[in-house]
Amino acid sequence: MAVTDEAIEKIKGMIVSGALGPGDRLPKESELAAGLGLSRNSLREAVRALSLIRILDVRQGDGTYVTSLDPQLLLEAMSFVVDFHRDDTVLEFLAVRRILEPAATAMAAVRISEQQLDALTAQLDRLGENPSVEDLVACDLEFHRGIVHSSGNSVLCSLLDGLSGPTTRARIWRGLTQEDAVARTLREHRAILAALRDRDAEAARSWATVHIASVEQWLRSTL
């Protein structure tokens, strides 16, 4: 194992074991290096790497701290990597969304508040029946983000937020080239919302699956 990897593993072990918790300040570099049996250089490289993925927060003149370890913060690193996707991987992103988003929608059916349902309804009403493709896709992103947020699972919410970006271009492309794409998307949104109002988790799951699968099916047929 490379010395930097070893240093990362040892710091990770301290966090996982509870020796260091969210918000805790790391010991001074010299003390920590001696305590872990590491060189100060390898420790420095490990700290730099862990700060890039939001595990540690290096504050100049103050010290190094463990971050909050909040899922949304930690998954920012995944979102950064996702931004480098190639067009030929969009189908794979859609496949992952098709697995995760219906589950989140089903969870939201029993957790979403009436106020949140009213907000989603108002969002669709403002969009109208003949929106531009760009407005529809922007609304689509916010619509699903609101539902997933209502699932109550912050990890799932962060994962899906990171996965939504790579499929945006495909959704715009579909809206511009498939004849009934806009009307179909609006119908599916209303069906998902109706299932949520009925607190019908399985219907909500099914409509969310249909909604994502229709984009996936169209993209597969055009590639």
Side-chain angles (χ1 to χ4, degrees), residues 26-119:
L26 272 64
K28 290 181 180 178
E29 185 182 272
S30 56
E31 296 174 7
L32 186 58
L36 294 177
L38 300 166
S39 71
R40 293 179 69 170
N41 188 56
S42 62
L43 176 62
R44 211 169 287 136
E45 289 299 319
V47 168
R48 186 177 293 114
L50 290 169
S51 68
L52 287 173
I53 58 172
R54 306 292 195 267
I55 301 293
L56 297 179
D57 178 19
V58 179
R59 304 175 189 174
Q60 294 298 325
D62 186 13
T64 300
Y65 293 79
V66 179
T67 67
S68 65
L69 301 179
D70 179 83
Q72 188 165 0
L73 181 68
L74 299 182
L75 287 168
E76 282 181 9
M78 185 201 77
S79 297
F80 180 78
V81 173
V82 163
D83 286 340
F84 289 93
H85 79 283
R86 304 184 312 273
D87 285 347
D88 59 0
T89 63
V90 172
L91 277 170
E92 295 179 10
F93 283 107
L94 281 167
V96 175
R97 274 192 68 208
R98 182 161 46 84
I99 294 168
L100 297 179
E101 196 160 303
T105 305
M107 292 167 64
V110 296
R111 296 171 182 260
I112 194 166
S113 69
E114 290 298 322
Q115 290 81 2
Q116 289 168 315
L117 286 168
D118 289 343

Side-chain angles (χ1 to χ4, degrees), residues 96-215:
V96 175
R97 274 192 68 208
R98 182 161 46 84
I99 294 168
L100 297 179
E101 196 160 303
T105 305
M107 292 167 64
V110 296
R111 296 171 182 260
I112 194 166
S113 69
E114 290 298 322
Q115 290 81 2
Q116 289 168 315
L117 286 168
D118 289 343
L120 290 173
T121 300
Q123 184 184 63
L124 294 183
D125 289 344
R126 285 195 302 272
L127 189 63
E129 296 302 317
N130 295 293
S132 68
V133 172
E134 290 77 8
D135 286 346
L136 177 66
V137 171
C139 177
D140 186 68
L141 291 170
E142 288 303 314
F143 181 78
H144 293 292
R145 185 178 288 120
I147 292 171
V148 172
H149 181 75
S150 299
S151 72
N153 189 311
S154 59
V155 174
L156 197 52
C157 190
S158 297
L159 277 170
L160 284 165
D161 212 32
L163 290 169
S164 65
T167 63
T168 300
R169 195 191 316 175
R171 282 181 273 183
I172 292 175
W173 181 20
R174 179 196 182 210
L176 291 171
T177 59
Q178 190 178 32
E179 186 176 345
D180 64 340
V182 172
R184 182 172 180 175
T185 298
L186 292 172
R187 286 196 303 271
E188 289 166 354
H189 279 182
R190 294 287 182 186
I192 292 169
L193 189 53
L196 291 173
R197 281 205 180 275
D198 290 341
R199 306 294 176 181
D200 189 333
E202 288 312 307
R205 185 197 306 274
S206 297
W207 275 113
T209 302
V210 166
H211 183 57
I212 298 166
S214 66
V215 181

